[in-house]
Amino acid sequence: NINKTMEKAKKNFAGNEIMGKKLGVIGLGAIGSLIANAATELGMEVYGYDPFISVDGAWRLSSEVKHVKTREEIYKECDFITVHTPLLDDTREMINKDTIAMMKDGVVILNFARDLLVCDDDIIAALESGKVKRYVTDFPNAKTAKAKNVIATPHLGASTEESEDNCAVMAVKELKDFIENGNIINSVNYPKCDLGVCDKVARITICHKNIPNMIGQLSSAVAAEGMNISDMVDKSRGDYAYTIMDLDSKAADNLVEKIEKIEGVIKVRIVK
């Protein structure tokens, strides 16, 4: 009777179609943009929020994704909400009783980014009341793992042979780019800072504190040596920053010594 038994059991797996539903993606980085693009192909109406989206990220994003200016728009409009942000003061427990109250009844929340983006007590209360239909996460803990309507999984995203190889290749490429061009990509502690392949006469990089007038002092030190900055990028994260300078003439040791004496400078490197 396996066929009849299975037919009777299928009601336990009844769900909802996602075509035509609204998906809110908070954080449009490498992962968030892939999800947003895939969801549009599956017929979802996608809303995306990321105040710090890079130019490269914007180019990767489908034109079908509606870029909104506040998280509140996503909370109020979307049937499914997925979060893909780093853990910052502004994002810590951003899913809480106040933001959940803005959401539609029966919303589904997905969190595969950081466990502390969601307040455990508030999400459990919302699941118990039915305000939130499902909470899907790969950050289960003692509170959420056995809570009602939680779908908890281990970290499965890299559990393939291909991804292990891809991660190794990516790490080598990023280290090679840092050594040869001074670019920082996907750092844990430093900001993303990329000036591409160095095609100028010289390039120097400076690790420094994120303090006022640092760029002015660095530029003045270069100008005092009679050198011209042909291109420059400076990015910061928290208390620290990183600057890449392309120069029209070779960087001499005395320039490095002069920059190293500036208060707040941690390390100077001549890349080329």
Side-chain angles (χ1 to χ4, degrees):
N1 296 321
I2 187 65
N3 290 336
K4 290 182 178 179
T5 302
M6 292 303 295
E7 281 298 309
K8 289 180 181 179
K10 72 180 184 182
K11 64 182 180 181
N12 297 324
F13 302 93
N16 300 102
E17 294 187 7
I18 61 174
M19 181 178 287
K21 300 297 194 302
K22 294 179 179 178
L23 171 69
V25 182
I26 301 176
L28 295 168
I31 303 301
S33 60
L34 286 173
I35 290 171
N37 291 344
T40 62
E41 295 295 324
L42 292 170
M44 301 191 80
E45 187 176 344
V46 182
Y47 292 68
Y49 170 79
D50 192 332
F52 307 108
I53 188 169
S54 65
V55 174
D56 288 342
W59 275 108
R60 287 195 302 266
L61 202 61
S62 167
S63 61
E64 298 295 318
V65 177
K66 299 179 181 179
H67 194 210
V68 299
K69 295 182 179 179
T70 65
R71 293 197 295 252
E72 286 71 21
E73 291 179 71
I74 286 178
Y75 297 149
K76 294 175 182 178
E77 294 292 332
C78 294
D79 306 295
F80 297 81
I81 297 172
T82 180
V83 292
H84 301 277
T85 68
L87 181 63
L88 307 170
D89 291 340
D90 180 54
T91 60
R92 182 181 295 272
E93 294 192 347
M94 65 180 179
I95 305 296
N96 55 56
K97 62 181 180 181
D98 295 327
T99 56
I100 291 172
M102 302 179 193
M103 299 176 190
K104 293 181 176 182
D105 292 343
V107 65
V108 175
I109 298 173
L110 304 98
N111 175 19
F112 302 106
R114 304 286 187 277
D115 57 340
L116 295 179
L117 299 175
V118 177
C119 176
D120 288 341
D121 292 336
D122 292 352
I123 195 70
I124 290 171
L127 288 163
E128 290 288 342
S129 71
K131 175 69 176 181
V132 176
K133 185 176 182 179
R134 293 285 187 273
Y135 176 50
V136 188
T137 183
D138 59 359
F139 289 98
N141 56 44
K143 285 186 176 181
T144 59
K146 296 182 180 180
K148 177 183 177 182
N149 293 327
V150 170
I151 299 175
T153 69
H155 295 290
L156 295 172
S159 297
T160 66
E161 293 180 11
E162 293 85 353
S163 67
E164 295 291 341
D165 290 341
N166 291 338
C167 286
V169 171
M170 182 176 68
V172 170
K173 286 182 176 178
E174 290 175 4
L175 285 169
K176 186 169 180 278
D177 192 22
F178 174 74
I179 293 168
E180 295 180 352
N181 299 299
N183 298 318
I184 295 179
I185 310 294
N186 296 330
S187 170
V188 174
N189 303 313
Y190 262 70
K192 178 179 179 179
C193 194
D194 185 358
L195 201 56
V197 176
C198 182
D199 58 359
K200 302 299 189 298
V201 175
R203 173 174 289 184
I204 61 172
T205 62
I206 305 104
C207 301
H208 57 86
K209 296 285 185 67
N210 184 22
I211 55 179
N213 196 36
M214 179 58 72
I215 299 303
Q217 293 183 80
L218 295 176
S219 300
S220 296
V222 174
E225 293 297 312
M227 305 175 73
N228 180 56
I229 300 173
S230 57
D231 204 355
M232 181 176 73
V233 62
D234 174 82
K235 299 291 182 180
S236 62
R237 177 184 288 180
D239 295 331
Y240 298 93
Y242 186 73
T243 300
I244 305 175
M245 288 184 177
D246 281 352
L247 309 175
D248 287 340
S249 52
K250 283 288 185 183
D253 291 339
N254 56 328
L255 172 62
V256 173
E257 293 171 2
K258 183 173 289 188
I259 292 176
E260 286 176 336
K261 292 178 181 178
I262 297 173
E263 185 176 354
V265 169
I266 300 168
K267 184 178 180 63
V268 183
R269 179 164 76 102
I270 298 177
V271 177
K272 180 181 178 182

